[in-house]
Amino acid sequence: MRLSQIAIVAALILIPTASSAQLGGLVRKAADKAADKAIDKKTGGKAAELPAPTFDEDVLELTSPRVDQVVRGLKAWNDARSRADVEGARKAHEAATARELSYATRYTDQRTEWQQKNWKIESCRDDAFGEQQEANQQVINKRMEEVQSNPAMLMKMNAKLMEWAPKIAALQQKGDTVAYKSAVIQMNEEVATAGGFKIAIDSGKVNTKCGRPVPKPAWLLAWDSTEVETKKAGDRVRAAETAGAAEAAVASGLTERQFMIARERIESFCGGGTMGFHKRERDVLTPRRAELAAFFPKK
């Protein structure tokens, strides 16, 4: 069987399955710790203070000139973060999270009840449509054997399949389970019609046997909207917090990886972290602790 035929068969036997309902989860603030991980990997991170790392092309010794380079990078980074309005992004995320939490506090029980009711209906509908699809399979297989020698018919079926593909993908992306399943049924029927035959998909019988899915109430639609807002706000925070990393590296004269690792080590030194340092580095960093700590205000 040719690839195009396989694609058509796959479409015709596709049975939409119930997708698991999305539970509202509060977006947790995540900090990028890539540089810390790089150091830990090189030094075998431990709970106690680590010994001085082995210096290489990525982990550079923090000499006085090199600390000056990092300071230039930190200044450039702070300028970039200021333009990105990190604090504004954080406040927007906190506000969005609070709105989402208010819906979770008020409607969690109702949401669970709505989900359970729909899961039961969707399960019944999946089984009912599956039974109809199984009955159609012999018709599909026989017709596909005939279509193998009809390139024009294959092209018509594939054209219909391609017409539906973006619509189906959009509904999947949106998470609209009900509309997705309805679209798949309609697509199957139209692809079969393009191939010169009919498949029996009787939605009426399924509706009578199982009932229709319960539409989302207004409060749930609003809750879903707050989840989307919270995610977008979280993405904005992450983008703002990492803004300027490339600019900082350029300003420092180091590679981005060198700068990020040096920055994380200096932050650890200023904050009493566990990263290890050579005595020569401590002699350079200790007199400048207050100056350097100003770049890493406590949150």
Side-chain angles (χ1 to χ4, degrees), residues 9-250:
V9 173
L12 289 172
I13 66 174
L14 176 61
I15 302 172
T17 58
S19 62
S20 59
Q22 297 178 352
L23 299 177
L26 300 180
V27 176
R28 296 180 179 178
K29 182 179 177 182
D32 182 9
K33 295 299 182 183
D36 268 340
K37 291 180 181 178
I39 292 294
D40 288 345
K41 184 177 181 181
K42 288 178 177 294
T43 60
K46 301 175 183 177
E49 182 177 317
L50 302 177
T54 300
F55 302 123
D56 56 26
E57 71 264 14
D58 292 327
V59 183
L60 305 176
E61 181 178 349
L62 296 174
T63 62
S64 184
R66 191 152 289 137
V67 172
D68 289 339
Q69 288 181 278
V70 176
V71 167
R72 289 196 295 270
L74 289 172
K75 288 178 179 178
W77 197 350
N78 281 354
D79 289 343
R81 284 164 59 86
S82 178
R83 294 193 299 271
D85 189 16
V86 175
E87 289 307 313
R90 288 173 179 166
K91 288 179 180 178
H93 181 248
E94 290 171 0
T97 301
R99 287 192 293 272
E100 182 181 341
L101 181 59
S102 70
Y103 278 96
T105 302
R106 293 166 58 192
Y107 293 112
T108 293
D109 290 343
Q110 293 94 318
R111 185 170 192 165
T112 299
E113 181 181 351
W114 176 86
Q115 288 170 338
Q116 290 176 341
K117 183 181 295 185
N118 260 4
W119 286 339
K120 183 177 180 180
I121 293 173
E122 293 284 4
S123 178
C124 175
R125 291 175 69 85
D126 287 342
D127 290 343
F129 278 124
E131 291 171 1
Q132 292 188 26
Q133 199 69 39
E134 287 178 9
N136 290 328
Q137 197 59 56
Q138 289 186 347
V139 176
I140 293 171
N141 291 341
K142 183 175 185 300
R143 184 56 182 168
M144 290 311 300
E145 290 177 3
E146 298 170 356
V147 170
Q148 288 185 57
S149 58
N150 191 332
M153 190 70 74
L154 278 174
M155 288 181 64
K156 287 179 63 177
M157 296 176 75
N158 268 329
K160 183 58 67 175
L161 201 58
M162 294 300 291
E163 177 186 326
W164 273 97
K167 302 176 186 177
I168 297 294
L171 291 172
Q172 284 181 305
Q173 182 68 26
K174 186 179 179 182
D176 190 338
T177 306
V178 175
Y180 164 72
K181 292 180 178 181
S182 177
V184 168
I185 291 171
Q186 188 177 348
M187 177 189 71
N188 286 343
E189 292 175 340
E190 292 186 14
V191 172
T193 299
F197 65 104
K198 297 286 185 182
I199 55 176
I201 301 293
D202 192 335
S203 299
K205 287 184 179 179
V206 175
N207 292 338
T208 299
K209 179 180 179 180
C210 305
R212 296 177 181 273
V214 181
K216 288 185 177 182
W219 58 263
L220 183 50
L221 291 171
W223 187 353
D224 288 347
S225 178
T226 65
E227 291 177 355
V228 173
E229 289 177 7
T230 303
K231 182 180 182 305
K232 288 181 179 178
D235 292 341
R236 180 188 165 194
V237 169
R238 285 185 286 276
E241 289 181 335
T242 57
E247 296 176 40
V250 171

Side-chain angles (χ1 to χ4, degrees), residues 39 43 49-56 58-68 70 258 261-266 268-270 274-289 292:
I39 292 294
T43 60
E49 182 177 317
L50 302 177
T54 300
F55 302 123
D56 56 26
D58 292 327
V59 183
L60 305 176
E61 181 178 349
L62 296 174
T63 62
S64 184
R66 191 152 289 137
V67 172
D68 289 339
V70 176
Q258 288 171 340
I261 293 175
R263 175 193 176 280
E264 289 293 328
R265 295 189 67 221
I266 291 174
S268 177
F269 177 84
C270 293
T274 59
M275 289 186 179
F277 298 88
H278 193 282
K279 181 182 182 302
R280 292 191 304 270
E281 294 181 307
R282 290 189 174 279
D283 289 343
V284 170
L285 295 171
T286 299
R288 303 181 65 172
R289 186 189 294 271
L292 298 172

